[in-house]
Amino acid sequence: MPLHKTINFAQCVGSSTQIFVWKITESYSDLFAGVLLNENNLRRLSGMKSELHQRGFLSVRMLLQEAGYSDFDLHYDEFGKPYLKNGKYISITHSHHFSAIIVSDQTVGIDIELQREKIIRIADKFVDEEFSYLDKNNQEEYIKKLTVIWGAKEAIFKIRNEKGISFKDHIKVKAFRLDDKESKAELHFDDIVKNFKLFHEEIEGFGLVYAFE
Ligand SMILES: CC(C)(COP(=O)(O)OP(=O)(O)OC[C@H]1O[C@@H](n2cnc3c(N)ncnc32)[C@H](O)[C@@H]1OP(=O)(O)O)[C@@H](O)C(=O)NCCC(=O)NCCS
C-alpha cells in the first residue's frame, strides 16, 4: 500500500490543509514509470547518489499526483524551498522508506524522522531550554520527544527559510505530552518573536511533525 495515509485538516474556519504520506515499497523503476518529471528534476534525480534518496524523490511526485498536481506544478527557490505555481503552500519531507507532503492555503512546514537512539547523542546540538521538561531517564519517551522537537525545528525552518536560524538558540518548543499530538513553538530571530502551532504523530517508528505559523 504505497499511499499510507491522508490527513484532511482545517486549522481554522475557511482554511484547508492536506497531508499525504507515502510508504515506499516500490522499486526505483516502478516509481519512475509512474510519474512525469520536468527537465530540471530529471537532472537532479540522475545526480542523486543513493537509490533510497531517488525513490524518496520519486515517491514525492506520486504524492503530488494524489494531491492533484504534477512535477510541472512545482518549482524551487535558490535555497531549495518548494512552491506550487497556483499559489498554495507546500512542504516536502522524506526519510528512509517514508515521504510526506503538506499542501495548504497557509504557510506550512513538515518533517518526518526515524525515531532512533542516535538522536540522544546529538541532542545538545539542537535542544536548549526544552531540556527543562525532558526526562532522560525514560529513554523511550525521551527519544520520541527529541524526534518531535527535531522535526518541529526542521518544519519551522522550512517555513521561514531564513539564513542564520539556529535550531538550538532561536527555536523554542514548549512543553508537550506525546499523547496530546499538539504543541507550540516560538522563533526568536532578528529581534522578532514568531509563534507556531505544531502537530505531531507517530507512524511505524517515525515521527511526523507539521507546523503552521
Ligand atoms: C533543508 C532542510 C530543512 C532539509 O531537511 P531534511 O530533514 O534534511 O530533509 P527532508 O527530507 O525533511 O526535507 C527535504 C525537503 O525540504 C525542502 N527544502 C529544502 N530546502 C528548503 C528550504 N530552504 N526551505 C524550505 N524547504 C526546503 C525540499 O523540498 C526538500 O526535498 P526535495 O528537494 O526532494 O523536494 C535541512 O537540511 C536544513 O538545512 N536544515 C537547517 C539547517 C540546520 O540548522 N540544521 C541543523 C542544526 S542542529
Side-chain angles (χ1 to χ4, degrees):
M1 271 299 287
L3 179 68
H4 186 70
K5 194 169 185 167
T6 307
I7 306 167
N8 288 299
F9 190 88
Q11 153 79 347
C12 55
V13 180
S15 86
S16 93
T17 299
Q18 282 192 303
I19 296 138
F20 300 87
V21 181
W22 196 272
K23 184 170 177 177
I24 309 164
T25 55
E26 306 80 357
S27 66
Y28 171 87
S29 46
D30 282 350
L31 287 166
F32 189 75
V35 297
L36 275 178
L37 293 181
N38 70 39
E39 232 171 87
N40 263 347
N41 284 336
L42 267 176
R43 219 172 306 127
R44 254 192 90 187
L45 180 73
S46 63
M48 287 173 191
K49 293 199 177 79
S50 112
E51 199 202 68
L52 195 61
H53 188 196
Q54 290 178 316
R55 286 161 73 207
F57 184 83
L58 290 169
S59 71
V60 166
R61 274 65 205 167
M62 293 294 221
L63 290 172
L64 281 172
Q65 290 176 183
E66 294 289 340
Y69 298 98
S70 81
D71 195 44
F72 294 86
D73 299 309
L74 191 73
H75 66 99
Y76 291 88
D77 71 11
E78 72 214 87
F79 306 106
K81 178 168 172 154
Y83 293 84
L84 282 170
K85 288 182 182 158
N86 70 357
K88 282 211 173 201
Y89 296 96
I90 184 166
S91 183
I92 293 172
T93 183
H94 26 72
S95 172
H96 302 268
H97 57 279
F98 275 103
S99 62
I101 64 169
I102 185 165
V103 178
S104 178
D105 41 26
Q106 293 180 271
T107 52
V108 277
I110 195 164
D111 194 68
I112 192 163
E113 296 289 335
L114 179 62
Q115 295 165 333
R116 51 181 166 178
E117 222 177 298
K118 194 178 142 196
I119 200 163
I120 294 175
R121 276 191 273 132
I122 59 160
D124 268 340
K125 295 199 187 328
F126 69 96
V127 176
D128 186 35
E129 63 183 52
E130 294 89 357
F131 278 128
S132 66
Y133 62 78
L134 291 170
D135 176 8
K136 291 183 182 177
N137 296 319
N138 182 347
Q139 183 160 316
E140 192 187 334
E141 185 196 82
Y142 185 46
I143 291 170
K144 287 183 180 181
K145 284 198 168 179
L146 284 176
T147 310
V148 170
I149 292 169
W150 172 264
K153 294 188 179 197
E154 286 276 14
I156 289 168
F157 177 82
K158 286 178 183 176
I159 293 178
R160 297 301 304 174
N161 189 20
E162 279 167 309
K163 246 186 157 175
I165 291 178
S166 150
F167 283 13
K168 186 181 173 85
D169 300 331
H170 301 137
I171 305 177
K172 299 159 198 302
V173 178
K174 302 288 167 198
F176 63 96
R177 278 163 32 92
L178 287 170
D179 291 348
D180 285 345
K181 302 194 184 302
E182 272 189 46
S183 48
K184 287 184 179 144
E186 290 173 356
L187 171 69
H188 295 243
F189 190 62
D190 268 355
D191 297 327
I192 297 171
V193 179
K194 299 259 179 203
N195 294 295
F196 296 85
K197 199 162 182 190
L198 306 165
F199 296 86
H200 62 262
E201 61 184 86
E202 207 178 327
I203 300 175
E204 296 186 9
F206 286 73
L208 176 76
V209 184
Y210 43 103
F212 295 87
E213 188 171 335

